[in-house]
Amino acid sequence: MRWGARLRRTAVASALGVTVGGLSLLTAMPAGADAPEPGHHYFTYECIPETGFAGLFPAGGEKKSTLRVEVVIPDKAYVGQALIVKWNIAESALVAPDSIPAKAQIKATGSVALSGVQTGSWEISGGKELGALVGNDTKIELPALTSDSWALTKEGEIQITPGLLKLSLTPPKSIIEINDQAAPSAGEVDNPGAVQGPIKYEGDWKYDKTRAVDDWATGAKKDRSGDVHYSQVSPSAVDVTFTGNGIEYIGERHPALGPVQVEIVGNASTKKEIDPSTVSGEPGSTPVVGRHGEEKLWVSPSLPYGEHVMRLTNLEPKFAIVDGFNILTETQTAPPPYFNTTCTPRDAITPIPVKLEKAPASPSPSPSPSPSPTVTVTTTPPAGSTTTSTPKPTLTVTATVTPTRPTPTAPQVIITPVGGAQTGEAPDESSSGAGLLGLGTVMVLGSVFGGVALKRRRAAHLRGQD
């Protein structure tokens, strides 16, 4: 029991010694070479669409959402150097209100206000390319923002306050085909008032899905997807809601078809009458021969990008046919306002201080040795002198002088402080404090167990003498 108590006391004392020694060693270890990570600040932003536009929200849904924003601001910067501020935006519930093909560009712009020894405001922008977006469904990945080089001119302190965050989206150039009915029910024939995706039929319309086997002129193109909607009642109409810069009306040309009127609702200048029974579609022009499907009967004028409604009306009690539509998006020279969304900090933001210091002086470069000078000495007879001896050629003597290198006044080897070896070498930065701690632990434990073994041998020897 006495030996067990002694063993426990020895082990506890050794462990305590190892712990204290390790803490002392770790405290004395030099700091890492990497600079400390700058401050991270988190804010909640509330987002709404700009007035009169859809923004990045579901069509017909709530036009409000929140974002979690991280702003990275250094706590110290140097005069004459750049001040870098970064914004990271966490995943959000923002979506496109309409389906958009791949390669749309999302852009985020954050504003920052400065006060203190320097004042002003800056905008920080970032963007990225998106994949295909499904309307009201696909969450939009938002980009990170990084500031440009902002020159600092005064020592002291500035305060940085993050402000508004604005989001915009630029859709790619595209043509999106819409059939007259995307997914008709089996055996469906009549569907007055039916809504097929963005298409709404008003009046007496019927659905025919047998157009692929109908009679066609030789070489004529059949109807899109082999189906159409048709009406013989006036004024039956169809409305198409679309988002883009324009729309194309796809139908048939046939002698039995009557005139229809097309227009962009709310834009009287777009109203036009077309006659699908003619070759050109103009009333009174050359009649068409035979049946021709998937004909482009009308193209709207270019419209501002956004949501529009096209209306087609059957003007006479003759056949009117709807085969489909093409939604047009032109190349955008700037993000259309349609998707503009503004995000505001939900709570007041306390300005974040940044200390501006004079940049540390860089060491002066060592002077390069001057090249060895070349001295040329020329000897010629004085002017006007005469000589009876044979003239001698001009004597040119070239001497090369190499300057003696001055004795340096400063020691060429850095002397370590008192107590260190004067080797002139810097300490090995790759030495690991953890390795030294582990080695010390092994040595101490070895001494503990060695001492225990020696004690046991002595006790055994004494028992043998008794």
Side-chain angles (χ1 to χ4, degrees):
M1 292 178 65
R2 290 198 303 271
W3 285 111
R6 291 178 182 177
L7 178 60
R8 286 194 295 273
R9 287 196 296 270
T10 303
V12 171
S14 300
L16 181 60
V18 170
T19 303
V20 173
L23 292 175
S24 301
L25 180 60
L26 292 175
T27 304
M29 289 175 61
D34 295 336
E37 190 175 9
H40 293 240
H41 307 271
Y42 298 89
F43 309 100
T44 298
Y45 275 66
E46 293 184 344
C47 305
I48 59 173
E50 287 191 3
T51 304
F53 297 106
L56 299 175
F57 301 92
E62 184 180 6
K63 301 298 184 181
K64 189 174 183 179
S65 184
T66 59
L67 290 179
R68 186 66 171 166
V69 178
E70 175 193 45
V71 183
V72 183
I73 302 174
D75 55 7
K76 181 173 66 175
Y78 295 113
V79 174
Q81 298 183 8
L83 173 64
I84 304 297
V85 176
K86 299 180 180 181
W87 293 44
N88 298 313
I89 307 172
E91 181 182 357
S92 71
L94 298 176
V95 300
D98 309 281
S99 294
I100 300 175
K103 297 188 176 182
Q105 298 287 333
I106 183 73
K107 181 180 179 182
T109 302
S111 62
V112 172
L114 269 68
S115 58
V117 296
Q118 281 189 238
T119 60
S121 61
W122 283 301
E123 288 189 341
I124 308 172
S125 297
K128 66 186 302 181
E129 185 176 281
L130 301 175
L133 302 175
V134 177
N136 304 332
D137 182 67
T138 309
K139 292 183 180 180
I140 295 177
E141 297 180 2
L142 299 175
L145 316 179
T146 302
S147 65
D148 296 327
S149 297
W150 297 345
L152 304 172
T153 59
K154 297 180 180 179
E155 293 182 53
E157 185 178 275
I158 59 173
Q159 292 80 39
I160 296 180
T161 307
L164 294 179
L165 176 65
K166 294 189 176 183
L167 306 173
S168 63
L169 187 143
T170 305
K173 182 179 180 179
S174 65
I175 299 177
I176 300 176
E177 295 185 354
I178 299 177
N179 193 34
D180 59 297
Q181 182 163 332
S185 302
E188 180 183 9
V189 177
D190 300 322
N191 59 343
V195 177
Q196 310 298 338
I199 305 174
K200 181 180 180 181
Y201 294 94
E202 297 178 356
D204 185 7
W205 291 89
K206 294 180 174 59
Y207 175 65
D208 183 357
K209 59 180 179 179
T210 65
R211 308 299 285 186
V213 295
D214 206 342
D215 59 328
W216 299 90
T218 302
K221 195 173 183 181
K222 295 180 173 61
D223 293 313
R224 177 180 291 179
S225 300
D227 64 350
V228 296
H229 273 71
Y230 67 94
S231 176
Q232 288 180 281
V233 176
S234 177
S236 294
V238 56
D239 287 344
V240 185
T241 301
F242 67 94
T243 301
N245 296 108
I247 189 170
E248 296 174 341
Y249 162 44
I250 308 300
E252 285 185 6
R253 296 191 191 276
H254 190 274
L257 296 173
V260 296
Q261 178 179 283
V262 290
E263 63 179 313
I264 301 298
V265 176
N267 190 338
S269 63
T270 62
K271 188 177 294 186
K272 183 177 177 62
E273 180 181 327
I274 57 177
D275 188 351
S277 68
T278 65
V279 174
S280 65
E282 296 292 336
S285 63
T286 305
V288 71
V289 177
R291 186 183 300 278
H292 304 267
E294 205 167 348
E295 290 282 306
K296 188 185 298 183
L297 300 179
W298 178 72
V299 181
S300 74
S302 180
L303 306 168
Y305 186 92
E307 184 178 283
H308 306 278
V309 178
M310 170 196 169
R311 167 163 287 192
L312 180 147
T313 305
N314 188 12
L315 297 178
E316 296 182 9
K318 292 183 177 181
F319 281 104
I321 286 180
V322 173
D323 188 19
F325 303 91
N326 293 335
I327 309 302
L328 310 177
T329 297
E330 303 168 354
T331 299
Q332 309 296 311
T333 57
Y338 178 76
F339 298 106
N340 284 359
T341 300
T342 300
C343 304
T344 307
R346 185 177 62 186
D347 305 311
I349 294 180
T350 302
I352 301 166
V354 178
K355 188 177 181 181
L356 305 184
E357 298 179 352
K358 184 178 180 181
S362 57
S364 302
S366 301
S368 302
S370 302
S372 302
T374 299
V375 180
T376 302
V377 180
T378 304
T379 304
T380 57
S385 63
T386 60
T387 179
T388 58
S389 62
T390 304
K392 296 181 179 181
T394 302
L395 177 61
T396 302
V397 180
T398 301
T400 300
V401 180
T402 302
T404 302
R405 184 171 181 177
T407 302
T409 58
Q412 299 304 302
V413 179
I414 299 175
I415 306 300
T416 58
V418 176
Q422 298 186 10
T423 62
E425 297 181 356
D428 186 359
E429 294 184 356
S430 63
S431 299
S432 171
L436 294 176
L437 179 59
L439 180 59
T441 302
V442 172
M443 293 175 64
V444 171
L445 291 178
S447 65
V448 170
F449 289 113
V452 171
L454 181 59
K455 290 287 187 179
R456 287 183 174 179
R457 291 187 61 183
R458 287 182 178 178
H461 179 70
L462 292 175
R463 285 195 300 270
Q465 290 179 349
D466 290 341

